[in-house]
Amino acid sequence: MAVDAETAARATGDDVVEHPPYQSGFGNEFASEAVAGALPVGQNNPQRAPLGLYTEQLSGTAFTVPNARNRRTWMYRIRPSVRHAWRFTETANHAIRTAPNREADPPIGQLRWDPPPFPNHATTFLTGMHTVATNGDAHTQIGMAAHIYMATDSMTDTYFYDADGELLVIPQDGRLRFVTECGVLVVSPGELVVLPRGMVFRVELVDGRARGYICENYGNYLELPERGPVGANGLANPRDFLHPVAAYEDGDRPGELYVKFDGRLFVVETDFSPLDVVGWHGNHVPYKYDLSTFTVIGSISFDHPDPSIFTVLTSPSSDPGVANVDVVAFADRWLVGEHTFRPPYYHKNIMSEFMGIVHGVYDAKEEGFPPGGMSLHNMYFPHGPDHDAWIKATTGDLEPQKLSDTLSFMFETRYPLIPTAYAGSIPALQDDYPSVWHALERHFTGPTTDDGARP
């Protein structure tokens, strides 16, 4: 896509804005140039790069990690990034927090929030980001943070990159247009987008204000989970992941570049757009995924499989089979299990679960969990269907049932998620959430004794 003017990249009502072209695949070596001849042939770093461009590599991993994990992208840009890498000024973090973070005594137990209201002042994707909970330590590159964003304005002449982790964004209300060093991605509710660590981008609003969820992954990069006995197909298939094609901006006007580094936010003034990459090749690249293309695996006989069957992406830890963070999606699907309690069973989990709803109703919660809301069930706090969902599941007809027009997700992580002061104090926090289980009464029909001893 030959886009050589900032006005073209920002045009409204143009097909380029709402339907940019993409490349498909996952973990591929991609190559793209906005102007023919921008990529050198046969080598990465020629003495003189084509078209008078500068050569720059963005490394996502250490140089010597195994080939299967190595991440890097070669960029051929109008000016090198070092032009902006000076005179950084620390600035306010707004409501963004980074692990380890214990700014207040956090609430414990099962927590749930209504959709927080939009602020009464203008916000962008960056200034409207609010951290809900964190775990691990960004400095040592383990753990994650769960954020929400509420934006009313586009990031005009404002750019951002995160040195602490990769960002997975799930829009809930309103489309977002991510303009990155590698090109443009338009992401709608029902999709997700992943921005690699160190990738510069800005976010424009397509439909006015926007709201959604963010997982900031400090650990190993997200990858497709191993399918095991499922085999070569199913779950999230590689061909459904879409990556941008090269598009660049060549504008000389002032702006601001924000950098999140080791939990602190810095800003530097710019005199030209840092999104000036004319061509690139590599695999450290942003991508998006339509969650409706997830091939759901489930029981066609009886019982409820573990929710790991809904894993879209995983950030593995050094402990095999135990994720730093899993990204799990619950979308439209058939329930057909015979003589089976079909919603998720009651459980206490070694993993911690942060959950949100994009649209529809989650089948284990009949009331009090609307789209835009969120819940947190930390490790070893019991949870499961509310009373009404239990009644429906234990008395309903077990004919095949289609769950339609529903999409919720979960960030499941090996470490406890510590709520922030913001999350523990906002009115959206439901102080009566555990009451959804209070109506679960005793139905035991076996013999009993007054003293509780075995009869």
Side-chain angles (χ1 to χ4, degrees):
M1 180 174 64
V3 179
D4 58 1
E6 201 164 350
T7 54
R10 294 174 180 231
T12 58
D14 192 314
D15 191 62
V16 168
V17 172
E18 298 194 12
H19 304 287
Y22 298 109
Q23 307 176 81
S24 70
F26 191 89
N28 298 31
E29 288 284 332
F30 294 99
S32 184
E33 53 186 15
V35 176
L39 294 179
V41 177
Q43 65 179 119
N44 296 320
N45 188 28
Q47 182 182 20
R48 292 187 179 86
L51 306 181
L53 299 171
Y54 288 88
T55 302
E56 182 172 305
Q57 182 178 210
L58 175 61
S59 294
T61 55
F63 298 136
T64 53
V65 301
N67 288 343
R69 291 182 49 219
N70 207 296
R71 296 273 297 266
R72 57 89 183 91
T73 292
W74 285 95
M75 299 179 175
Y76 303 90
R77 57 195 318 148
I78 297 172
R79 298 177 181 88
S81 294
V82 290
R83 278 286 305 272
H84 290 151
W86 70 308
R87 294 184 178 175
F88 284 103
T89 301
E90 187 167 4
T91 186
N93 275 24
H94 306 290
I96 302 173
R97 299 294 181 266
T98 302
N101 178 68
R102 280 188 181 267
E103 57 193 351
D105 291 330
I108 64 169
Q110 308 96 330
L111 304 174
R112 191 166 70 181
W113 293 262
D114 294 320
F118 279 81
N120 56 14
H121 57 276
T123 58
T124 66
F125 176 85
L126 179 60
T127 62
M129 192 184 302
H130 293 69
T131 307
V132 179
T134 66
N135 67 19
D137 187 341
H139 186 79
T140 56
Q141 299 179 18
I142 57 172
M144 58 158 285
H147 314 277
I148 55 173
Y149 67 87
M150 294 168 286
T152 61
D153 290 349
S154 295
M155 293 170 63
T156 304
D157 299 318
T158 303
Y159 313 90
F160 174 64
Y161 74 85
D162 192 340
D164 290 337
E166 66 178 340
L167 299 174
L168 179 142
V169 181
I170 300 178
Q172 186 272 319
D173 182 16
R175 289 174 295 170
L176 301 177
R177 185 171 184 265
F178 289 84
V179 187
T180 79
E181 289 177 286
C182 288
V184 178
L185 303 102
V186 175
V187 186
S188 303
E191 299 179 314
L192 61 79
V193 64
V194 175
L195 289 309
R197 181 179 291 182
M199 177 70 60
V200 180
F201 65 92
R202 73 163 183 272
V203 181
E204 300 172 348
L205 309 186
V206 179
D207 303 311
R209 70 181 193 175
R211 176 174 59 197
Y213 309 89
I214 303 171
C215 175
E216 183 182 13
N217 172 30
Y218 309 139
N220 290 319
Y221 290 114
L222 293 163
E223 60 186 47
L224 295 176
E226 297 294 341
R227 294 187 179 99
V230 172
N233 304 289
L235 306 181
N237 290 302
R239 66 174 299 191
D240 296 319
F241 289 83
L242 301 179
H243 299 69
V245 300
Y248 66 95
E249 297 178 351
D250 190 12
D252 292 334
R253 64 189 190 203
E256 292 180 320
L257 173 63
Y258 288 83
V259 180
K260 183 173 177 291
F261 173 78
D262 208 26
R264 302 159 68 194
L265 194 63
F266 299 85
V267 63
V268 62
E269 293 183 359
T270 64
D271 54 358
F272 61 89
S273 171
L275 307 180
D276 64 350
V277 179
V278 182
W280 57 266
H281 71 86
N283 61 358
H284 193 62
V285 186
Y287 57 88
K288 75 169 190 169
Y289 176 74
D290 184 346
L291 291 164
S292 70
T293 64
F294 183 82
T295 303
V296 179
I297 304 294
S299 171
I300 57 173
S301 57
F302 60 88
D303 280 353
H304 189 295
D306 294 326
S308 50
I309 60 172
F310 300 109
T311 302
V312 180
L313 293 165
T314 184
S315 164
S317 73
S318 57
D319 189 357
V322 181
N324 181 68
V325 57
D326 281 335
V327 179
V328 180
F330 305 100
D332 294 359
R333 60 197 183 277
W334 281 95
L335 303 179
V336 298
E338 299 177 328
H339 46 82
T340 292
F341 184 84
R342 289 176 175 174
Y345 43 78
Y346 296 100
H347 60 290
K348 287 193 293 186
N349 195 354
I350 194 172
M351 305 289 277
S352 300
E353 303 172 358
F354 176 88
M355 190 171 187
I357 297 207
V358 178
H359 62 254
V361 176
Y362 178 54
D363 61 323
K365 298 291 187 291
E366 292 291 312
E367 296 182 359
F369 199 10
M374 51 196 168
S375 67
L376 174 58
H377 300 137
N378 260 320
M379 57 172 55
Y380 292 117
F381 283 98
H383 53 285
D386 60 26
H387 175 262
D388 291 345
W390 184 87
I391 292 292
K392 183 178 178 180
T394 54
T395 61
D397 188 350
L398 288 183
E399 292 295 317
Q401 175 191 3
K402 178 68 179 293
L403 296 182
S404 300
D405 301 320
T406 178
L407 179 60
S408 53
F409 71 89
M410 187 164 66
F411 303 147
E412 187 174 80
T413 175
R414 69 181 303 183
Y415 303 111
L417 279 162
I418 307 303
T420 60
Y422 163 81
S425 63
I426 56 176
L429 177 63
Q430 299 177 5
D431 56 8
D432 62 344
Y433 172 42
S435 68
V436 302
W437 298 293
H438 288 176
L440 293 168
E441 300 176 348
R442 181 180 184 277
H443 298 282
F444 180 53
T445 58
T448 60
T449 64
D450 291 338
D451 61 4
R454 178 176 297 179

